[in-house]
Amino acid sequence: MRCAGKLARRFSAGQPFRNVAIEPFVAPVLLSALQAQFPKFEERYARNERGQTGGKAVVPEIARLGSAYGQFDRLMRDREFLALIGRITGLSGLLYDPDYAGGGTHENLDGQELDPHVDFNYHPRLRWHRRLNLILFLNPEWEQAWGGCLELLPDPWAGNATVYVPLANRAVIFETTESSWHGFRRIRTPPGREISRRSIAVYFYTKDRPSTETAPSHGTLYFQRPLPQRFQPGYTLTEDDVAEMQSLLARRDGHMQFLYEREADFSRLIEGITESPSFRLGRAITWPGRLLRERRRS
């Protein structure tokens, strides 16, 4: 790996938020082994947040995928490696995630895209603060025209983005905050070629974070892409345009349904709490104090 000082300066100067690309990231021998041992796409690993089967497969248990992935996992948890990443990013006390929550191997098939989003901000089990994403690409060939390029955006409406083509042995490290919007556009690989977007995603955490950077715990927040600017009065739609429009509207409808179901679940949870005997007892016990405060305010 290159000089930590030079990488630190590049990371600090990264736009639209702190980021750096490192290539080559691993030794060529290890890269070849990671490519060879990449898991086969299986439907059981391709379920989204709503339990539906899609075109993205995620395998978090990477250490069991083969000797190369075991070696990569040991690197990610190595203290010297974590200290090096800390020097590059200016974040001390970085923690490796043994669960690979949301991480692991990622494979996206032709037609897949990832809407601009901000990642979940706390580890779901350990409650650590999420601080960094590290994405190592494994694709021997890729062209920007195929889509699937990592985009780092200043906001979800922005047309200007820092773009990284997902070529093999290119690792991108970027800071995760409440405004670190990122995603990739629809993959359109050449017809007749079995090409998929393959990568390994690793997330790093810290036990503490400055209070000015914290927010209430939340899951991944997605922004649905708008219709393309070319859809204007007088424009003649092609078959591809119609397919894109139908896809965007269907995904937006699906996201709205997901938000509705989540809101309904939250409402039921709140109702269960407020109707519980313990909550009612607590209200009864604290009633005199609340009454006194109301009288003081009036």
Side-chain angles (χ1 to χ4, degrees), residues 155-221:
D155 62 67
W157 301 274
N160 57 317
T162 296
V163 179
Y164 289 108
V165 179
L167 284 170
N169 220 3
R170 173 176 292 161
V172 178
I173 301 174
F174 61 91
E175 187 172 22
T176 53
T177 68
E178 296 305 307
S179 58
S180 55
W181 293 95
H182 58 284
F184 61 80
R185 296 184 180 273
R186 178 174 295 186
I187 299 170
R188 299 177 184 273
T189 53
R193 299 180 62 183
E194 296 184 1
I195 300 175
S196 61
R197 183 185 190 272
R198 297 183 173 190
S199 61
I200 307 173
V202 185
Y203 311 137
F204 298 100
Y205 299 79
T206 57
K207 290 184 178 179
D208 301 300
R209 187 168 197 157
S211 58
T212 55
E213 299 178 6
T214 60
S217 177
H218 61 74
T220 302
L221 306 175

Side-chain angles (χ1 to χ4, degrees), residues 47-199:
R47 300 195 181 278
N48 60 24
E49 291 91 341
R50 302 181 61 200
Q52 301 169 331
T53 301
K56 175 183 179 180
V58 178
V59 181
E61 307 89 355
I62 71 168
R64 67 171 180 79
L65 295 177
S67 57
Y69 283 89
Q71 182 179 346
F72 183 84
D73 177 66
R74 289 191 296 274
L75 172 63
M76 294 299 102
R77 69 174 71 203
D78 183 80
R79 290 184 179 180
E80 291 186 8
F81 174 78
L82 291 171
L84 175 60
I85 298 300
R87 291 196 299 274
I88 293 171
T89 61
L91 300 176
S92 60
L94 289 174
L95 299 167
Y96 153 89
D97 174 21
D99 299 340
Y100 283 86
T105 62
H106 288 186
E107 181 175 16
N108 289 271
L109 305 182
D110 184 72
Q112 278 295 112
E113 60 187 305
L114 184 60
D115 286 322
H117 64 281
V118 169
D119 293 314
F120 61 86
N121 55 350
Y122 287 90
H123 190 284
R125 180 175 66 87
L126 301 169
R127 307 304 297 167
W128 295 339
H129 297 270
R130 184 165 172 175
R131 306 303 299 274
L132 292 173
N133 286 5
L134 186 157
I135 303 175
L136 173 63
F137 299 116
L138 301 176
N139 310 291
E141 59 175 328
W142 201 272
E143 296 182 13
Q144 189 165 345
W146 298 352
C149 299
L150 176 64
E151 295 184 347
L152 308 182
L153 300 151
D155 62 67
W157 301 274
N160 57 317
T162 296
V163 179
Y164 289 108
V165 179
L167 284 170
N169 220 3
R170 173 176 292 161
V172 178
I173 301 174
F174 61 91
E175 187 172 22
T176 53
T177 68
E178 296 305 307
S179 58
S180 55
W181 293 95
H182 58 284
F184 61 80
R185 296 184 180 273
R186 178 174 295 186
I187 299 170
R188 299 177 184 273
T189 53
R193 299 180 62 183
E194 296 184 1
I195 300 175
S196 61
R197 183 185 190 272
R198 297 183 173 190
S199 61

